[in-house]
Amino acid sequence: MAAMTALKKTYHVDLPELMRTYETNYAKLNALLPAQPSVGDVRCYQAAHLTYQLQVLEVTKYTTLVEICQSDDISIFPLPTMSVRLYHDARVAEVLTTDQLNRVLARYDYPNEKMVQKDEKAQINRFLGDWLTFCLKRGISRAPIHINQ
């Protein structure tokens, strides 16, 4: 009977937790980006044997759109890329897209065609936070990387 109840339990977004993640990611991104970003600005950070690149794609009065990608000299598996929008009035940063998802939804039914988790948005934004923390703690600024697309 408990197994049946677990299967029927629906996922609800933990909005306060998600907003805390957005807020901390905003602060971390601002520490890694130029003070007054312009379209085309690129910042790269070498951490361990990995390179992380942040590129400003769009700047408006209230938002900045940044593409973040990871590079490695010898890639064994596909490396993550994501676009993140910073909302300056609310002081939050949210992952909008990843290399696998054209749009990250707040929640997903499971199972689904792409087999993303019910809380994929929360997981991706926590992953971004971990990534940014790693760059802040261990990263050394370096020249931009060039990705063949």
Side-chain angles (χ1 to χ4, degrees), residues 22 24 41 43 48 106 127 132 135:
Y22 288 171
T24 57
D41 282 350
R43 293 292 186 266
F127 172 71
L132 297 172
C135 286

Side-chain angles (χ1 to χ4, degrees), residues 75-147:
S75 294
I76 299 170
F77 50 87
L79 297 171
T81 300
M82 60 184 72
S83 65
V84 179
R85 181 157 322 266
L86 289 85
Y87 299 91
H88 304 298
D89 53 346
R91 301 184 63 79
V92 296
E94 172 188 23
V95 175
L96 299 179
T97 66
T98 67
D99 40 356
Q100 298 91 8
L101 300 171
N102 292 333
R103 182 169 173 248
V104 181
L105 302 177
R107 69 177 202 84
Y108 292 87
D109 291 329
Y110 191 86
N112 54 65
E113 191 175 305
K114 292 191 176 188
M115 295 304 289
V116 294
Q117 298 297 310
K118 291 178 181 184
D119 65 340
E120 193 76 16
K121 184 176 202 90
Q123 288 188 42
I124 289 170
N125 280 281
R126 283 193 304 266
F127 172 71
L128 172 62
D130 293 343
W131 211 10
L132 297 172
T133 297
F134 185 64
C135 286
L136 285 166
K137 287 185 177 180
R138 307 249 192 265
I140 299 169
S141 185
R142 63 167 279 199
I145 55 177
H146 300 284
I147 298 177

Side-chain angles (χ1 to χ4, degrees), residues 9 12-13 15 23 43 45-46 51 62 65 72 105 120 123 132 136:
K9 189 175 183 180
H12 296 283
V13 176
L15 192 57
E23 290 168 352
R43 293 292 186 266
Y45 298 92
Q46 181 79 37
T51 303
Y62 297 109
L65 181 63
D72 195 355
L105 302 177
E120 193 76 16
Q123 288 188 42
L132 297 172
L136 285 166

Side-chain angles (χ1 to χ4, degrees), residues 19-101:
M19 291 306 293
R20 276 190 296 277
T21 302
Y22 288 171
E23 290 168 352
T24 57
N25 286 349
Y26 180 85
K28 291 173 188 176
L29 265 169
N30 274 309
L32 293 167
L33 289 170
Q36 297 294 321
S38 300
V39 173
D41 282 350
V42 175
R43 293 292 186 266
C44 291
Y45 298 92
Q46 181 79 37
H49 297 290
L50 303 171
T51 303
Y52 300 87
Q53 178 170 288
L54 293 79
Q55 180 174 6
V56 178
L57 301 179
E58 175 186 284
V59 177
T60 68
K61 185 175 181 180
Y62 297 109
T63 68
T64 300
L65 181 63
V66 178
E67 180 182 71
I68 303 173
C69 63
Q70 181 178 327
S71 176
D72 195 355
D73 292 335
I74 303 170
S75 294
I76 299 170
F77 50 87
L79 297 171
T81 300
M82 60 184 72
S83 65
V84 179
R85 181 157 322 266
L86 289 85
Y87 299 91
H88 304 298
D89 53 346
R91 301 184 63 79
V92 296
E94 172 188 23
V95 175
L96 299 179
T97 66
T98 67
D99 40 356
Q100 298 91 8
L101 300 171

